[in-house]
Amino acid sequence: MKANIISAILGAAVLSSCAGFGLQKDYKYESRPLDPYMDMTAWEYMQSREDLSEMVEAVEYTGMEDYYSQTDSCLTYLFLNNVAMANFRNAHAQVDKISYCDADEVKRLLLYHIVAGEYHSLDKKLPVQPIYVKTLLDGEWGLMTLKVNKSSSNSIGSPIANGNIVANETSSNFRAKRISSVTSNVMPVNGVIHIFNDYSMFRKTDTDVTPY
């Protein structure tokens, strides 16, 4: 049933195919992992990392496991580490467990951080200028931009991508908050994962009251 819902949400989005296997080793941000491909789903990878334990709790709390374990489509997963989830908790409810937050708000947060299609900095899949992408959160609230960061040392010629993924670059998506990945281009069998230490949301003005 949930798999059908996910397929319906994606609709006619053009999704890339997934391929490749291997292991991802991560201690701090690495712009070019030696072998980013893994023989596991995004859900399995999330469960394997201690710094994503709060996101695991959020997914289980909202019953969204199928979004991360499905293998019908390749999605871009913007994972929120424990620091990011704590920021959300403190901003929305000032509680010490995600299950004390409103379940609908948590679900909207998670849907906003899943993007239809496969966006990463390998093989020039993502440009250095922000582009609009479709998240799984419906309507205007689902607007997001993505780009790959440009190396600051490259001042002559074409920009060189350093692999770091930026969501909602400043002024690229109204007043949405800019966030930058701490780990990027992790390639499970059902898409690509980028990990962030803060969350973002669509905001038209600084005074917007968002529904999540």
Side-chain angles (χ1 to χ4, degrees):
M1 177 67 176
K2 288 184 178 177
N4 292 335
I5 294 174
I6 295 171
S7 298
I9 291 173
L10 294 179
V14 178
L15 305 177
S16 302
S17 61
C18 300
F21 306 99
L23 296 174
Q24 168 75 14
K25 199 171 185 179
D26 177 63
Y27 299 103
K28 61 181 182 178
Y29 176 74
E30 296 180 10
S31 61
R32 295 181 64 188
L34 293 178
D35 189 355
Y37 296 98
M38 300 173 303
D39 187 16
M40 63 174 68
T41 65
W43 177 234
E44 290 169 328
Y45 181 78
M46 188 191 302
Q47 293 176 297
S48 74
R49 290 185 55 139
E50 185 177 345
D51 63 335
L52 297 172
S53 60
E54 283 211 46
M55 190 172 186
V56 171
E57 291 178 19
V59 172
E60 292 174 341
Y61 175 47
T62 54
M64 289 181 59
E65 293 93 334
D66 285 356
Y67 285 81
Y68 300 90
S69 61
Q70 63 81 34
T71 55
D72 293 331
S73 303
C74 284
L75 304 175
T76 298
Y77 296 99
L78 310 186
F79 279 8
L80 304 176
N81 66 16
N82 292 347
V83 174
M85 294 303 297
N87 290 344
F88 176 80
R89 286 192 284 102
N90 293 334
H92 288 263
Q94 296 184 337
V95 293
D96 56 8
K97 285 182 69 68
I98 195 67
S99 58
Y100 296 156
C101 295
D102 182 88
D104 288 338
E105 290 186 355
V106 177
K107 184 170 185 178
R108 292 175 69 85
L109 172 77
L110 297 178
L111 288 173
Y112 186 73
H113 289 82
I114 304 176
V115 178
E118 197 173 17
Y119 297 95
H120 52 74
S121 62
L122 304 177
D123 303 321
K124 299 181 180 178
K125 287 274 187 176
L126 198 59
V128 296
Q129 297 299 326
I131 60 170
Y132 273 102
V133 294
K134 175 180 173 55
T135 73
L136 298 196
L137 186 62
D138 288 336
E140 184 179 57
W141 297 109
L143 289 176
M144 176 185 282
T145 64
L146 284 179
K147 71 166 216 173
V148 60
N149 230 11
K150 182 172 64 173
S151 174
S152 59
S153 63
N154 179 56
S155 57
I156 299 175
S158 300
I160 298 174
N162 66 13
N164 191 31
I165 305 301
V166 175
N168 291 330
E169 177 63 89
T170 305
S171 300
S172 70
N173 190 21
F174 296 91
R175 303 301 294 171
K177 180 170 60 177
R178 179 190 191 275
I179 57 173
S180 181
S181 65
V182 293
T183 301
S184 59
N185 305 318
V186 180
M187 308 290 285
V189 297
N190 56 345
V192 56
I193 297 167
H194 310 297
I195 302 176
F196 294 79
N197 62 3
D198 202 358
Y199 72 97
S200 186
M201 67 181 106
F202 175 76
R203 207 182 268 277
K204 233 178 187 179
T205 70
D206 290 330
T207 58
D208 259 356
V209 178
T210 64
Y212 68 109

